[in-house]
Amino acid sequence: MRLNDDEKAMLDGRDGAAVSKAMDLLVRYGEALGAERLVDTRNVCGTVSASTPFMRDFALQKGGMDAVFSEFNLDSDTVVEVPPVKVYSTHLQLGFDPNEAQRMGIAEEVVQFYRKGEAFTAGRGVQLGNTCTPYQVGNVPTRGEHCAWMESSAVVYCNSVLGGRTNTEGRESTGAAMLTGKIPYWGYHLDENRRGTHLVELDIDLESTFEWGLLGYWMGELVQERVPVVVARGGRFLKAPNLQRLKHFGAAASSSGGVEMYHLVGVTPEAPTVEEAFGGNRPVQRLRFGEAERRATWDKLNSTARDREVDYVMLGCPHYSIEQIWEACQLLQGRKVHENSSLWIFTPRAIKALADQNGYTKIIEDAGGHLMSDTCSAMSRAMPQGTKVAALDSAKHAHYLPAIMGVQAWFGTTADCIDAACTGRWNGRLA
């Protein structure tokens, strides 16, 4: 790769050993990708923590959080002292909620180590967003801004909805980007890779977050890592979906496939028209989503579910917005979670503070539910003891949780899930 004078100086050790290790990693990474150069980034979303048992043991044996960052963020066998980050960096979700450790089965000594990790991370200037939805808590890149983000559902939102530019990065490349403000210039940083490849025509109107999740899951499986362009039937503009529908749509598409970018004609910033979305490309395939596809996708997402008795309802994958918490409270008001079921709702810590202020947390707790932060059941591998059947309003989580935790999972609307929590039974169906 071609390096400029500043990049060469960082590689040669001008800014210390950690920065030199970071540049070395980025050069090796870029060369493996076939990138010709690096690009400046001032917006990074990654992970620094050591919240898994393996990493905690590693930290205790090898020299603390500097050792963890050296090994797992910089690919360095030598422990180097980690300096403050060079650019704006946000931490993604973690392994558990430290304020709900007992409920999640986490020992007190683990929480104490977690707090030390938080202090290390914040001390290096990394924002403790602790969420898979950094755009909900203040990290909102502008159109055309080069970013270095992890987390598939965040990446697809950044590229598609916000018009930022990022590939799906890993812990190593984001850690290196934090210290250098550089990332390989390839993939979705380039104009030509952001153009549409597949045309998706909707034969039905989508009226809910649930339906946008179904479309995303169906679409991702068919287009895989390509760039779909979605239009309404007859070439009409789509009815603009809100944040939560876009969030669940992208998360579903990046779970069943590898979608990192999509265009909604007349909605997303790089698709004012079909022609501009494709940017001179011809569609390699035309796909139609209608009632038959909707029903088949719902059947697939519910294929692990057999038993109607629901032990556990988990909402908040990706993390719930304040609007979704408000909606859940409307559905919960005056009801109680069934004695044989549990309700956990996950949101960023900053949004939980807002929910506390608005009285939503009390509504959830009075009903017998719990509003939690920093993680989810897939990340934490934590569910109420004895859970065999879960209910979810996220197509992404319906895809992952049965495989990760070995449970049955029902997928439906938020109303279906709240009803399951309060009755202890799944009564949802495809309307």
Side-chain angles (χ1 to χ4, degrees):
M1 289 204 308
R2 300 191 305 272
L3 301 183
N4 61 32
D5 290 343
D6 182 54
E7 293 161 351
K8 290 176 183 176
M10 284 193 280
L11 181 62
D12 291 341
R14 180 196 66 192
D15 299 336
V19 175
S20 176
K21 293 281 188 183
M23 279 300 300
D24 175 69
L25 184 150
L26 291 172
V27 169
R28 289 184 286 124
Y29 175 48
E31 288 176 345
L33 295 168
E36 295 182 357
R37 64 180 180 89
L38 301 172
V39 65
D40 292 338
T41 177
R42 297 194 56 79
N43 190 318
V44 181
C45 288
T47 60
V48 175
S49 70
S51 58
T52 65
F54 172 77
M55 286 192 179
R56 288 195 298 272
D57 292 344
F58 185 92
L60 294 171
Q61 295 167 11
K62 300 293 185 178
M65 289 300 299
D66 280 324
V68 171
F69 196 99
S70 298
E71 176 76 21
F72 298 103
N73 290 83
L74 299 179
D75 189 33
S76 171
D77 294 334
T78 303
V79 177
V80 294
E81 184 178 352
V82 181
V85 297
K86 188 174 184 178
V87 297
Y88 180 68
S89 302
T90 301
H91 205 287
L92 295 170
Q93 68 270 37
L94 295 162
F96 60 92
D97 179 347
N99 297 316
E100 294 282 1
Q102 186 174 5
R103 193 178 312 283
M104 301 185 82
I106 306 297
E108 178 57 31
E109 60 268 24
V110 175
V111 178
Q112 292 175 6
F113 184 84
Y114 180 104
R115 297 299 190 192
K116 292 179 181 178
E118 278 194 319
F120 173 89
T121 303
R124 295 329 182 261
V126 179
Q127 312 302 312
L128 298 179
N130 297 359
T131 177
C132 55
T133 58
Y135 49 86
Q136 294 194 136
V137 293
N139 191 334
V140 184
T142 59
R143 179 176 176 179
E145 182 178 354
H146 293 284
C147 304
W149 282 24
M150 288 175 62
E151 167 47 47
S152 60
S153 72
V155 165
V156 70
Y157 195 96
C158 178
N159 278 323
S160 309
V161 180
L162 302 175
R165 298 190 170 209
T166 184
N167 298 299
T168 301
E169 300 293 348
R171 178 174 179 136
E172 301 82 358
S173 56
T174 54
M178 289 177 186
L179 299 186
T180 62
K182 305 286 181 177
I183 201 72
Y185 186 58
W186 75 291
Y188 291 103
H189 293 286
L190 306 176
D191 288 343
E192 57 267 29
N193 295 326
R194 300 175 67 84
R195 298 166 185 159
T197 60
H198 291 64
L199 182 65
V200 178
E201 297 177 290
L202 302 186
D203 282 343
I204 56 176
D205 294 327
L206 305 181
E207 300 294 344
S208 67
T209 302
F210 163 75
E211 291 177 323
W212 278 95
L214 288 172
L215 171 64
Y217 197 82
W218 169 84
M219 184 184 76
E221 189 172 38
L222 291 171
V223 307
Q224 291 298 306
E225 76 284 359
R226 307 300 287 279
V227 183
V229 176
V230 184
V231 297
R233 54 188 169 189
R236 295 184 294 107
F237 279 172
L238 295 161
K239 181 180 179 181
N242 61 11
L243 181 154
Q244 65 200 47
R245 293 174 186 179
L246 291 168
K247 178 179 63 171
H248 280 266
F249 170 65
S254 64
S255 300
S256 61
V259 176
E260 297 178 42
M261 183 167 188
Y262 61 80
H263 299 288
L264 302 182
V265 176
V267 175
T268 53
E270 296 173 49
T273 66
V274 173
E275 292 73 22
E276 288 177 86
F278 279 101
N281 287 349
R282 294 174 62 89
V284 298
Q285 190 176 8
R286 291 175 178 266
L287 303 167
R288 286 186 176 275
F289 183 78
E291 187 54 46
E293 290 76 16
R294 176 176 175 269
R295 177 164 293 279
T297 305
W298 186 83
D299 287 342
K300 179 172 289 189
L301 282 164
N302 285 282
S303 61
T304 66
R306 299 176 300 279
D307 300 323
R308 292 273 173 178
E309 291 73 24
V310 173
D311 309 304
Y312 174 44
V313 175
M314 201 224 86
L315 308 176
C317 174
H319 277 167
Y320 253 26
S321 66
I322 193 66
E323 181 180 357
Q324 289 176 289
I325 294 171
W326 167 71
E327 289 177 350
C329 286
Q330 288 184 309
L331 294 165
L332 270 174
Q333 195 92 43
R335 304 185 75 182
K336 293 286 187 180
V337 174
H338 193 273
E339 61 182 358
N340 295 328
S341 190
S342 299
L343 171 63
W344 292 2
I345 303 174
F346 291 91
T347 192
R349 200 182 300 185
I351 292 179
K352 184 180 184 301
L354 184 58
D356 293 345
Q357 181 179 342
N358 285 331
Y360 301 151
T361 304
K362 185 177 187 304
I363 292 172
I364 293 167
E365 291 177 347
D366 285 350
H370 304 280
L371 186 61
M372 303 162 78
S373 68
D374 288 24
T375 190
C376 70
S377 285
M379 286 295 298
S380 65
R381 311 298 198 265
M383 300 186 300
Q385 190 172 4
T387 295
K388 295 180 180 178
V389 182
L392 314 162
D393 67 354
S394 163
K396 175 180 180 177
H397 223 48
H399 177 85
Y400 284 119
L401 197 64
I404 292 172
M405 299 299 291
V407 296
Q408 300 176 42
W410 290 102
F411 168 67
T413 66
T414 303
D416 290 335
C417 292
I418 295 294
D419 184 67
C422 295
T423 63
R425 184 172 177 80
W426 183 257
N427 297 306
R429 62 185 185 275
L430 188 64

